[in-house]
Amino acid sequence: MALIGFGEAGESFARAAAWTGRARGWDLLERRRAAMADCGVQAGCDAAYALAGADAALSLVTADQALAAARDYAALVAPGALWLDMNSVAPATKRTAAGAVNAAGARYVDVAVMAPVEQRLGVPLLVSGPDAEEGAALLQSIGFTKVRVVGDAVGRASAIKLCRSVMVKGLEALSAECAAAAEAEGVLDEVMASLDASEKPAPWMARIAYNRERMATHGTRRAAEMDEACAMLESLGVEPVMSRGTVQLQRAAASKEPACL
């Protein structure tokens, strides 16, 4: 098999796997190609060498290079081989990449990596596309232990990943904004204690239904309150990036008008 891209994900996976003698790799950066030998991956002199004769290619480049890699290297992939796109990009981007790969005679598989790659071969993977079953079987054969097929449409696995990221990464950013303001006002301990006291564990479907109802019913008042929160953040030197979005979405929910951030 071939590894296209050898950043954090590629190195984490290769270090945990028994791929010595089974994998060749290519990365645009010379220092990353030099790191391959320590992980049992034979560095190619170019992408063509890495891909020559490979039954499968794992695309593990940066998100902004995922489509370019598919377009640039599709013609180098053996006919019928699998191109497993494991990059975190939009479903539409994956469908465009699939068009390039399939047109060249290879088979495209959408793979979403659903947790930090520090979990190595135990990281959960979602797989979709017409060749998802074969792609999942291959991933399992090379050592991945948590692989699940979620449909036969390219983009479905990535849609699950990125919709989840809206929540997970959004909460990270929102918590940072909240903490920065609380620290600046000297009330961090009290704010954290208040949040702990109000925490009510519930399934996410129930939480979202509740949140939507609250926004529709009280969005106008809550938007006004968050306008004041934005003013406070600005006075403390904290850019209210997330809070401005909250104002817009709360107001839109109350007016039943679509929000556009």
Side-chain angles (χ1 to χ4, degrees):
M1 66 180 178
L3 300 181
I4 301 301
F6 201 72
E8 181 185 5
E11 182 170 350
S12 294
F13 298 154
R15 285 194 180 280
W19 291 347
T20 301
R22 300 172 61 193
R24 289 183 291 191
W26 168 251
D27 194 289
L28 292 174
L29 300 177
E30 183 177 355
R31 61 182 177 81
R32 296 310 306 159
R33 297 197 297 273
M36 293 180 186
D38 290 338
C39 304
V41 176
Q42 182 180 351
C45 54
D46 55 25
Y49 177 83
L51 288 163
D55 296 318
L58 307 187
S59 179
L60 293 160
V61 299
T62 55
D64 62 328
Q65 293 299 310
L67 180 55
R71 285 173 168 165
D72 292 347
Y73 303 145
L76 304 176
V77 182
L82 296 172
W83 179 274
L84 297 115
D85 192 336
M86 303 178 75
N87 303 296
S88 296
V89 296
T93 304
K94 291 221 170 172
R95 287 189 284 269
T96 302
V101 170
N102 294 338
R107 295 178 294 157
Y108 185 95
V109 180
D110 178 10
V111 184
V113 181
M114 298 300 292
V117 296
E118 288 86 350
Q119 296 186 31
R120 298 188 171 186
L121 300 182
V123 67
L125 301 178
L126 301 183
V127 185
S128 70
D131 296 291
E133 293 288 351
E134 189 169 342
L138 185 141
L139 289 166
Q140 291 168 331
S141 74
I142 62 175
F144 290 97
T145 60
K146 298 178 181 177
V147 184
R148 183 162 67 92
V149 174
V150 293
D152 59 5
V154 169
R156 183 173 174 83
S158 291
I160 296 169
K161 165 72 181 280
L162 290 190
C163 288
R164 181 180 183 276
S165 293
V166 169
M167 181 67 73
V168 174
K169 274 65 172 185
L171 286 174
E172 290 173 356
L174 190 62
S175 65
E177 191 168 288
C178 169
E183 287 170 337
E185 281 285 13
V187 294
L188 180 63
D189 289 345
E190 289 289 341
V191 171
M192 295 301 107
S194 177
L195 289 171
D196 286 339
S198 62
E199 185 71 13
K200 296 180 178 65
W204 272 109
M205 191 67 78
R207 294 191 199 188
I208 288 174
Y210 175 81
N211 290 343
R212 284 174 165 170
E213 187 279 324
R214 295 289 84 190
M215 291 171 70
T217 304
H218 304 292
T220 300
R221 175 174 59 79
R222 292 181 173 190
E225 178 181 330
M226 289 305 298
D227 271 328
E228 293 300 311
C230 288
M232 176 194 71
L233 288 164
E234 290 175 329
S235 73
L236 296 170
V238 178
E239 185 68 21
V241 175
M242 301 296 290
S243 296
R244 285 198 193 102
T246 298
V247 170
Q248 191 167 350
L249 289 171
Q250 290 280 358
R251 191 165 285 138
S255 66
K256 305 299 191 295
E257 295 177 356
C260 181
L261 297 182

